Amino acid sequence: MKKFLTIFFLIVAGVLHAQEWQSSFDAALNLAKKEDKPIVLVFSGSDWCAPCIRLKRNILDSEEFKSYASSHYVLYNADFPRKKKNQLPEDKSNVNKALAEKYNPKGYFPLVVVLDKDESVLGKTGYNVKASPKKYIATLNDFVK
């Protein structure tokens, strides 16, 4: 019974965490319009880009960022994995490519683009290894003001 409860809580925690990141850009746009929140659009290479992996681990997965972001931002990750086992479905890959053409034409990774609910760019940033979650949130908020 104890194992069952542990597994259950891990699954629930995983589902709750996964809900913060929108599964499609259309869903992110709709939520941003509905809740009047900016979109934090992250361009990443989850299985090959070392700075992207550090950004995720040190900032985006931190409790401080997750807690703040859940009530202030709509999150979408435009991922570009390279390993065959991590490939995205074709439709999602095509959406991410279109987003990259529009918001990341130079192909910078990681690139974090803050958009308003009408898809206007409010600001762009990358990843600074010296940034704490608190400083990163402040940077994103400076774009929104």
Side-chain angles (χ1 to χ4, degrees):
M1 182 68 169
K2 191 174 183 179
K3 280 184 178 180
F4 172 77
L5 287 175
T6 302
I7 292 170
F8 174 76
F9 285 114
L10 288 173
I11 290 171
V12 168
V15 168
L16 290 177
H17 178 262
Q19 290 175 345
E20 292 177 20
W21 291 90
Q22 298 304 303
S23 60
S24 73
F25 190 70
D26 284 341
L29 271 176
N30 290 334
L31 188 60
K33 289 176 183 177
K34 178 181 172 189
E35 297 185 0
D36 195 27
K37 292 180 183 176
I39 299 170
V40 174
L41 170 59
V42 178
F43 289 95
S44 67
S46 63
D47 63 4
W48 59 271
C49 170
C52 301
I53 294 165
R54 286 193 292 276
L55 171 65
K56 182 177 182 327
R57 183 181 61 227
N58 298 335
I59 304 294
L60 304 177
D61 284 348
S62 72
E63 288 306 315
E64 185 174 1
F65 184 85
K66 290 190 297 188
S67 174
Y68 186 86
S70 67
S71 58
H72 291 87
Y73 309 133
V74 174
L75 306 172
Y76 181 75
N77 182 29
D79 192 20
F80 292 84
R82 289 186 179 165
K83 293 180 182 173
K84 188 173 184 172
K85 67 179 182 176
N86 298 332
Q87 292 302 300
L88 301 174
E90 186 176 355
D91 58 333
K92 189 166 187 170
S93 180
N94 289 337
V95 168
N96 290 353
K97 286 176 187 173
L99 289 169
E101 287 175 16
K102 186 172 183 178
Y103 299 111
N104 189 8
K106 294 186 179 181
Y108 294 131
F109 289 90
L111 180 67
V112 178
V113 181
V114 179
L115 305 169
D116 68 13
K117 64 184 177 184
D118 298 315
E119 298 184 69
S120 296
V121 176
L122 302 175
K124 295 181 180 186
T125 189
Y127 174 62
N128 178 342
V129 294
K130 295 179 182 177
S132 65
K134 184 177 184 174
K135 287 181 181 178
Y136 210 83
I137 290 166
T139 298
L140 298 179
N141 285 340
D142 283 345
F143 297 143
V144 178
K145 292 179 182 176

